[in-house]
Amino acid sequence: MTVRPGGSAPERRRWTLVRAGNDAMPSSVRRFMQRARRRRLRAALPWAAVAATLLVIGLPIWLVLGTGLLGVRSVAIDGTSLVTPDEVRAAAAVPDGAPLARVDLAAAAARIGALPAVEKATVTRDWPNALTIVVVERTPEAVVPEGKRFLVVDRFGVAFQELRRRPAHLPLVRIADPRGNVDGVRGAVEVVAALTPTLRRQLVEVGVAGPARITLKLAAGRTVVWGDASRNAVKSTVTTAMLERDGKTIDVSDPEVVTIR
């Protein structure tokens, strides 16, 4: 503080900051600081490259797998008549908005395939927001009485539908415990599939009393002892030829030695 003569008020000094020029810093210090700055930049470059790579790769992955941006918005279903599209959607159990890339297609197809009337199903992605489900339903091959109802069975012997009345166009198979004896039902269906048109027109029903005790009841009270479900095409041809002969019972269980009585 400075006091002027005559007792006037003290005068305050004013300080001004002045940036030192480059010449005020020794050249050796400047070179050291530049080298240090370059080292810091070189050290940061790999981390910056990694961060940029993660951003470029990770962001799309997160959008596809972690958000509903590419989520399920619609489900197209084809091939249904015995089951309804709503039943198929419920069985697929894919929530609306679920990330399309994360849908387990095989698991969804297996759940749909567990429906009784479905033989198999395929589920595919339809980018960006849809699933396509193609259903192959079981084909009716025969009916089996069970109490007061009729079970419709397919070529594998699987019962997939219950009816109160017998469909006239399907052959009748009589077997005990049709749900538990799938092999027996399948054997009867294989026999029916091998019948000639003549035998098919005369067929009344197929009886299965055991694996090697399959019989056919034909029109006019005739019976064919078929045996097991082997050599069906040969047995069918031989039986058709034997229809011209007299006799109520035709035994083709051994098609090489046919008996009629």
Side-chain angles (χ1 to χ4, degrees):
M1 178 182 300
T2 303
V3 181
R4 292 181 180 180
S8 60
E11 180 182 359
R12 294 185 179 181
R13 293 181 179 178
R14 296 183 179 179
W15 298 89
T16 303
L17 294 176
V18 179
R19 181 182 296 276
N22 291 334
D23 295 339
M25 184 182 297
S27 60
S28 60
V29 176
R30 291 199 303 272
R31 289 194 297 272
F32 174 79
M33 294 180 66
Q34 290 172 353
R35 287 195 298 270
R37 188 161 47 248
R38 286 195 293 269
R39 284 196 298 269
R40 288 195 298 270
L41 288 174
R42 284 196 297 269
L45 279 176
W47 294 104
V50 170
T53 301
L54 290 177
L55 182 63
V56 171
I57 296 176
L59 181 59
I61 293 176
W62 177 72
L63 290 175
V64 171
L65 299 178
T67 73
L69 182 63
L70 297 179
V72 178
R73 297 286 181 269
S74 64
V75 179
I77 300 173
D78 187 32
T80 58
S81 60
L82 298 175
V83 295
T84 66
D86 287 342
E87 289 174 324
V88 173
R89 289 190 186 91
V94 177
D96 290 340
L100 188 60
R102 295 179 61 182
V103 175
D104 190 333
L105 303 182
R111 290 191 293 269
I112 298 167
L115 293 172
V118 175
E119 183 175 320
K120 65 178 181 179
T122 56
V123 183
T124 56
R125 297 181 180 91
D126 188 5
W127 295 97
N129 299 106
L131 285 176
T132 298
I133 300 174
V134 178
V135 175
V136 177
E137 295 181 330
R138 298 186 185 275
T139 302
E141 297 292 346
V143 292
V144 183
E146 186 186 52
K148 296 182 179 180
R149 293 179 176 270
F150 293 91
L151 302 180
V152 181
V153 298
D154 70 348
R155 61 195 176 101
F156 301 109
V158 176
F160 63 90
Q161 190 178 24
E162 291 187 10
L163 300 175
R164 293 185 178 181
R165 295 183 180 181
R166 174 195 170 186
H169 67 286
L170 293 177
L172 184 68
V173 175
R174 293 192 181 276
I175 183 172
D177 188 21
R179 297 181 190 270
N181 192 359
V182 175
D183 290 340
V185 177
R186 181 172 62 248
V189 172
E190 290 173 356
V191 170
V192 171
L195 297 181
T196 63
T198 299
L199 282 177
R200 186 67 179 258
R201 285 193 298 269
Q202 296 192 32
L203 180 65
V204 176
E205 65 180 50
V206 180
V208 182
R213 298 171 62 191
I214 299 174
T215 59
L216 310 183
K217 287 187 178 181
L218 305 181
R222 305 187 81 176
T223 300
V224 180
V225 179
W226 199 270
D228 60 18
S230 66
R231 305 182 68 183
N232 291 325
V234 175
K235 292 177 181 179
S236 179
T237 301
V238 171
T239 302
T240 302
M242 294 296 104
L243 292 177
E244 300 297 327
R245 302 190 181 185
D246 294 333
K248 290 292 186 180
T249 302
I250 304 172
D251 189 337
V252 293
S253 55
D254 181 355
E256 305 298 332
V257 184
V258 180
T259 60
I260 302 177
R261 57 182 185 276

